């Protein structure tokens, strides 16, 4: 396997899955289904020999003549109960459980609250978990003879490009401590977290460990942020990781960063990347965290009233793993300008154009209308549609995004952000930004601005200001009062999950007060950083100010040939080493050796807990490329994130 290719890692392990599904009914959970989609989708299973593919649901089961079942799951306690229900309502004689997380973590969770450290330390966790799970499955099948198998196959990554990877099973993971942004104690360890949060960190560590094992990587762990220090601690100290590092030979640097240190880019509506625009405007594909649902009705004869809720027409999507033309266009959506994406789409569509539109060479610019014209010309022509379905879905996604009324909202919010940045940069303590926000909230309906986007903008303001900007208490109180009224007026769209519950003004007032508390915490997230505590920089032209993201500042310093000191980047072992060195210094009076630099390893992996934007990935990758360093730098995150999703992650709405 290529030493630094996450794409190869994905493909290798999916091949292992395909070897085990011949003649079986395959049941997948949502996260595994999303990973499958990015590897090629449903037909990979059917062509691999599966007789049926179903979602992992207690309402599903196999028919009487289907005797073999394969379950691809995260092996949580809830999923194990679901597997029990499915097996009891089927007639299997052969069952395979594919656990996407390491079985030593499953063993720990099966013994929650008990001390099983001796088993884990001795390395017996996987074998003990396998035996327990096999015994359970034999009991659920309830017939003899029967065959059961439990196997760990690390299915947890997707690779939108060769340098970017995401982890769908951990899309909901966000740096929180029992719902708080900051822990109540300065002494933070895994037990500062609730058991579910603790379990998520262990699961992510075990998955990353499996990836490093497959890629033969022996990593040095660096981190920035308290939550990242917990993940770094598990990777550094767990017996499984220690054992793997003894056997792996390729040095690597893993840099883990908390998203909460910089919430500006993920709450920004200034989107240059076409992919960010599409993700922000179109609805999510059902059950997926990084894919959108594209309305396919312009190509079909069906009369669709509401999309994507109208089940008579399946939604389209963005990523088509088995179509090189589509994967190239998808990469352009992430890495290139909107103009380049539009020309690329027009170029590809003109080759299948049934009405012969003008050649791309004769066009000065490609508009959404000119792309739309070619797409709709294929309506009802099912030969053209079936042969070019992927690129038609991508074209529809881009057209629907650029023609959406949401686009005008995003552009208005982006212009407001630019005003905020200049205001915060110039006036600092005397800023009137919050007054403007209160006015915007009150007049949001006339301006056609959704409240959830305005909440994202408020988070953007507090994260951008950090500890450099002090807001007036009066302005904050006015903002909270305006928010409280707005939340009550818009509660049906803002809190759709509390359907049937009558939301009161008092509840909205309480939520708005909690929101202010959370905003004040957001402003303090970088207070302990020395070098990266400010995101507002004087513009290179010398006129005005610009936002310079924490991740970009870090990567620029990382690849700088002058090797500036990475003051805020902690090395997992440095704490104890510093103590030892200070003791030795008393005796030897010699300077301690310089700290290790992440670029001393040929492979560097930057992993962000809480998500990234496509625009961030593009800028970080460009910074690495233009620096000329030879290291392979991979960018990983829990998901692609939009401003509204980031707002909900932060405010727990």
């Amino acid at each position: 396997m290529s030493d630094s290719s996450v794409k190869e890692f994905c493909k290798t392990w999916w091949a292992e899955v395909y070897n085990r599904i011949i003649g079986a009914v395959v049941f997948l959970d949502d996260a595994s289904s999303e990973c499958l989609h990015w590897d090629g989708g449903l037909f990979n299973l059917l062509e691999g020999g599966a007789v049926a593919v179903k979602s992992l649901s207690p309402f599903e089961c196999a028919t009487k003549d289907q005797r073999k079942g394969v379950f691809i799951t995260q092996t949580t306690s809830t999923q194990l109960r679901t597997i029990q229900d499915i097996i009891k309502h089927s007639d299997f004689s052969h069952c395979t459980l594919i656990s996407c997380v390491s079985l030593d973590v499953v063993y720990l969770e099966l013994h929650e609250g008990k001390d099983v450290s001796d088993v884990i330390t001795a390395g017996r966790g996987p074998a003990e978990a396998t035996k327990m799970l096999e015994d359970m499955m034999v009991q659920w099948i309830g017939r003899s003879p029967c065959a059961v198998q439990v196997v760990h196959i690390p299915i947890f990554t997707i690779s939108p490009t060769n340098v970017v990877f995401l982890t769908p099973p951990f899309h909901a993971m966000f740096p929180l401590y029992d719902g708080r942004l900051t822990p109540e104690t300065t002494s933070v360890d895994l037990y500062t977290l609730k058991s579910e949060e603790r379990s998520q960190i262990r699961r992510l560590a075990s998955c990353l460990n499996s990836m490093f094992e497959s890629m033969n990587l022996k990593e040095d762990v660096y981190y920035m942020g308290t939550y990242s220090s917990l993940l770094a601690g598990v990777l550094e100290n767990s017996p499984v990781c220690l054992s793997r590092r003894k056997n792996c030979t390729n040095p690597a640097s893993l840099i883990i960063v908390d998203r909460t240190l910089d919430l500006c880019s993920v709450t920004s509506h200034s989107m240059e990347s076409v992919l960010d625009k599409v993700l922000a405007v179109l609805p999510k594909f059902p059950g997926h965290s990084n894919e959108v649902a594209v309305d396919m009705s312009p190509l079909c004869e069906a009369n669709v009233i509401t999309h994507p809720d109208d089940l008579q027409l399946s939604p389209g999507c963005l990523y088509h793993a088995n179509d090189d033309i589509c994967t190239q266009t998808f990469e352009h959506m992430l890495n290139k300008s909107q103009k380049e994406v539009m020309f690329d789409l027009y170029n590809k569509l003109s080759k299948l154009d049934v009405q012969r539109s003008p050649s791309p060479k004769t066009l000065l610019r490609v508009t959404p209308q000119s792309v739309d014209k070619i797409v709709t010309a294929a309506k009802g022509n099912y030969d053209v549609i079936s042969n070019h379905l992927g690129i038609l879905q991508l074209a529809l996604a881009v057209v629907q995004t650029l023609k959406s009324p949401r686009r005008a909202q995003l552009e208005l919010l982006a212009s407001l952000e630019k005003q905020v940045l200049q205001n915060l940069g110039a006036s600092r303590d005397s800023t009137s930004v919050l007054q403007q926000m209160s006015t915007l909230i009150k007049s949001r309906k006339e301006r056609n601005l959704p409240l959830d986007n305005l909440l994202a903008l408020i988070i953007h303001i507090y994260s951008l200001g950090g500890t450099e900007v002090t807001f007036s208490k009066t302005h904050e109180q006015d903002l909270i009062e305006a928010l409280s009224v707005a939340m009550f007026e818009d509660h049906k769209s803002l809190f759709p999950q509390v359907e049937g519950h009558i939301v009161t003004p008092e509840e909205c007032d309480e939520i708005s007060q909690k929101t202010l508390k959370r905003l004040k915490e957001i402003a303090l997230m970088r207070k302990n950083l020395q070098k990266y505590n400010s995101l507002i920089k004087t513009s290179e032209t010398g006129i005005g100010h610009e936002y310079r993201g924490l991740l970009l500042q870090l990567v620029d310093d990382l690849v700088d040939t002058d090797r500036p000191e990475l003051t805020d980047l902690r090395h997992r072992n440095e704490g104890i080493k510093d103590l030892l060195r200070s003791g030795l210094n008393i005796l030897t009076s010699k300077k301690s050796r310089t700290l290790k630099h992440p670029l001393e390893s040929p492979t560097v992996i930057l992993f962000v807990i809480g998500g990234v934007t496509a625009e961030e990935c593009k800028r970080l990758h460009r910074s690495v490329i233009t620096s000329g360093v030879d290291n392979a730098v991979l960018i990983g995150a829990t998901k692609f994130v939009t401003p509204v999703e980031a707002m909900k992650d932060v405010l727990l709405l």
Side-chain angles (χ1 to χ4, degrees):
M1 186 189 295
S2 164
D3 289 334
S4 58
S5 168
V6 182
K7 262 196 170 151
E8 282 303 308
F9 164 74
C10 300
K11 288 203 168 301
T12 301
W13 287 110
W14 271 114
E16 279 292 310
V17 172
Y18 303 144
N19 287 338
R20 297 169 189 272
I21 59 169
I22 297 167
V25 182
V26 180
F27 297 87
L28 302 102
D29 61 21
D30 280 354
S32 307
S33 300
E34 182 165 5
C35 292
L36 173 68
H37 165 68
W38 291 76
D39 188 64
L42 173 66
F43 288 106
N44 281 16
L45 293 177
L46 296 176
E47 287 163 11
V51 296
V53 181
K54 304 188 177 198
S55 66
L56 188 78
S57 160
F59 304 108
E60 293 283 7
C61 63
T63 59
K64 286 286 179 191
D65 59 327
Q66 294 168 337
R67 310 305 290 273
K68 182 178 176 184
V70 173
F71 302 89
I72 307 174
T73 81
Q74 310 308 306
T75 328
T76 63
S77 56
T78 305
Q79 289 179 344
L80 287 173
R81 282 195 296 275
T82 301
I83 292 169
Q84 178 182 4
D85 288 343
I86 292 170
I87 291 175
K88 286 195 166 178
H89 292 105
S90 303
D91 199 18
F92 293 131
S93 58
H94 188 294
C95 283
T96 301
L97 169 59
I98 295 175
S99 175
C100 298
V101 293
S102 173
L103 290 165
D104 57 322
V105 173
V106 176
Y107 181 78
L108 271 174
E109 290 179 9
L110 289 170
H111 293 84
E112 179 68 39
K114 297 175 188 168
D115 182 10
V116 289
S117 51
D118 52 338
V119 176
I120 298 296
T121 309
R124 299 200 320 271
E128 293 288 336
T130 301
K131 185 175 183 311
M132 282 182 75
L133 292 167
E134 285 178 348
D135 289 347
M136 284 180 193
M137 286 164 70
V138 167
Q139 190 181 345
W140 298 338
I141 292 171
R143 59 184 290 168
S144 187
C146 67
V148 297
Q149 184 184 28
V150 174
V151 60
H152 165 47
I153 298 181
I155 300 293
F156 76 102
T157 56
I158 61 174
S159 289
T161 73
N162 288 327
V163 296
V164 177
F165 71 94
L166 307 168
T167 58
F170 303 99
H171 72 92
M173 195 174 188
F174 197 78
L176 293 173
Y177 310 85
D178 195 12
R180 296 163 55 88
L181 271 183
T182 49
E184 288 181 310
T185 168
T186 49
S187 170
V188 177
D189 62 26
L190 268 185
Y191 290 88
T192 313
L193 306 176
K194 290 193 298 189
S195 74
E196 192 181 324
E197 294 167 336
R198 194 160 60 240
S199 168
Q200 280 294 87
I201 284 193
R202 284 190 181 129
R203 282 170 167 265
L204 178 54
S206 88
C207 286
L208 290 172
N209 179 66
S210 300
M211 185 170 93
F212 297 154
E213 187 167 32
S214 286
M215 294 165 74
N216 192 25
L217 296 179
K218 178 182 183 176
E219 80 286 0
D220 270 313
V221 187
Y222 302 82
Y223 63 91
M224 200 187 301
T226 310
Y227 199 85
S228 292
S229 76
L230 298 176
L231 179 59
V234 178
L235 281 166
E236 196 69 38
N237 300 315
S238 80
V240 178
C241 297
L242 289 166
S243 164
R244 185 251 313 156
R245 270 196 296 276
K246 286 177 187 169
N247 301 318
C248 290
T249 53
N250 295 343
S253 295
L254 172 66
I255 300 170
I256 313 167
V257 181
D258 284 7
R259 177 76 268 171
T260 44
L261 294 174
D262 176 6
L263 290 165
C264 293
S265 69
V266 288
T267 51
S268 172
H269 299 86
S270 304
M271 300 170 188
E272 288 179 33
S273 165
V274 176
L275 181 57
D276 280 334
K277 292 176 186 175
V278 172
L279 291 169
V281 168
L282 297 188
K284 276 275 183 279
F285 198 92
H288 287 236
S289 53
N290 301 288
E291 184 60 279
V292 296
V294 182
D295 180 1
M296 299 301 290
S297 59
L299 287 174
C300 307
E301 304 294 341
N303 295 316
V304 178
I305 299 158
T306 55
H307 182 82
D309 303 322
D310 192 329
L311 297 178
Q312 67 174 312
L313 182 62
S314 297
C317 59
L318 291 180
Y319 198 78
H320 303 270
N322 299 327
D323 187 331
D324 291 342
I325 288 173
C326 292
T327 53
Q328 183 194 50
T329 300
F330 186 90
E331 285 213 25
H332 290 344
M333 288 170 70
L334 194 151
N335 286 318
K336 293 189 181 290
S337 69
Q338 183 173 309
K339 182 180 176 183
E340 289 170 303
V341 170
M342 296 303 282
F343 264 102
D344 172 67
L345 278 171
Y346 192 91
N347 218 344
K348 287 168 179 168
L349 288 168
S350 61
K351 291 170 186 168
L352 58 107
D353 184 9
V354 290
Q355 287 194 343
R356 297 284 152 237
S357 294
S359 156
K361 291 173 185 171
T362 63
L363 287 173
L364 293 173
R365 63 190 286 262
V366 176
T367 63
Q369 287 73 19
S370 51
V371 172
D372 196 22
K373 187 180 171 189
I374 302 183
V375 174
T376 49
K379 180 167 183 162
N381 188 334
Y382 293 110
D383 286 339
V384 170
I385 292 169
S386 59
N387 289 329
H388 305 282
L389 192 53
I391 199 68
L392 286 167
Q393 288 176 67
L394 279 160
L396 278 170
V398 173
V399 166
Q400 285 164 18
T401 298
L402 298 181
K403 289 173 77 175
S404 167
R406 293 271 295 136
R407 169 101 187 280
Q409 293 173 347
L410 293 177
E411 286 174 354
L412 175 53
L413 288 156
S415 70
L416 290 168
E417 268 168 39
K418 291 190 177 97
Q419 291 172 30
V420 162
L421 175 60
Q422 299 315 318
N423 191 321
L424 292 181
S427 49
R428 304 292 161 127
D429 289 2
S430 61
T431 180
S432 60
V433 164
L434 293 191
Q435 269 183 314
Q436 294 162 6
M437 287 308 303
S438 298
T439 307
L440 272 174
I441 289 165
K442 289 170 186 171
S443 61
R444 68 192 181 285
K445 296 228 175 7
E446 298 89 88
R447 292 169 184 263
N448 193 26
L449 287 173
L451 182 58
D452 48 12
N453 288 95
L454 289 172
L455 280 165
L457 178 54
I458 294 167
I459 290 171
H460 182 86
I461 290 166
Y462 273 83
S463 184
L464 189 61
T467 52
E468 299 172 88
V469 178
T470 308
F471 294 112
S472 140
K473 283 189 167 55
T474 310
H475 291 175
E476 284 186 330
Q477 201 49 48
D478 290 346
L479 175 69
I480 291 315
E481 284 171 16
L483 262 181
S484 176
V485 172
M487 283 177 174
F488 181 66
E489 289 173 351
D490 296 4
H491 68 266
K492 283 184 180 168
S493 59
L494 197 62
F495 316 120
Q497 67 273 29
V498 290
E499 201 172 326
H501 169 71
I502 298 168
V503 177
T504 64
E506 290 75 21
E507 280 177 292
C508 292
D509 189 49
E510 191 181 331
I511 294 167
S512 63
Q513 293 292 348
K514 281 181 183 170
T515 300
L516 178 63
K517 190 172 176 227
R518 182 58 54 99
L519 292 168
K520 286 177 176 291
E521 285 179 3
I522 289 164
L524 296 174
M525 294 311 292
R526 294 186 302 277
K527 70 174 180 184
N528 295 326
L529 299 184
Q530 296 170 47
K531 192 170 185 183
Y532 306 128
N533 60 351
S534 176
L535 307 179
I536 303 174
K537 306 292 179 188
T538 305
S539 181
E540 286 178 6
T541 60
I543 303 162
H545 297 82
E546 64 180 11
Y547 157 70
R548 190 142 186 81
L550 179 138
L551 293 176
L552 192 58
Q553 289 184 52
L554 170 64
V555 169
D556 280 349
D557 283 348
L558 188 70
V559 297
D560 188 334
T561 48
D562 293 338
R563 293 277 175 101
E565 193 177 340
L566 303 168
T567 328
D568 296 316
L569 197 61
R570 311 292 299 170
H571 190 279
R572 183 61 207 171
N573 282 331
E574 282 315 316
I576 188 69
K577 285 179 182 171
D578 286 345
L579 285 173
L580 291 169
R581 280 184 210 134
S582 62
L584 288 169
N585 285 347
I586 296 167
L587 301 173
T588 62
S589 298
K590 286 182 182 176
K591 282 187 178 179
S592 61
R593 69 175 180 84
T594 50
L595 301 181
K596 197 167 183 181
H597 192 280
L599 283 197
E600 287 172 32
S601 302
T603 302
V604 179
I605 300 169
L606 173 66
F607 190 84
V608 186
I609 303 175
V612 290
T613 64
E615 184 65 27
E616 268 183 317
C617 293
K618 177 174 85 173
R619 292 191 179 199
L620 295 172
H621 183 51
R622 192 170 289 169
S623 180
V624 173
I625 296 297
T626 52
S627 72
V629 298
D630 294 331
N631 308 64
V633 180
L634 303 176
I635 302 157
T638 44
K639 63 180 170 185
F640 279 141
V641 67
T642 67
V644 170
E645 285 169 350
M647 178 275 292
K648 289 180 177 177
D649 285 339
V650 174
L651 300 181
L652 296 177
L653 292 180

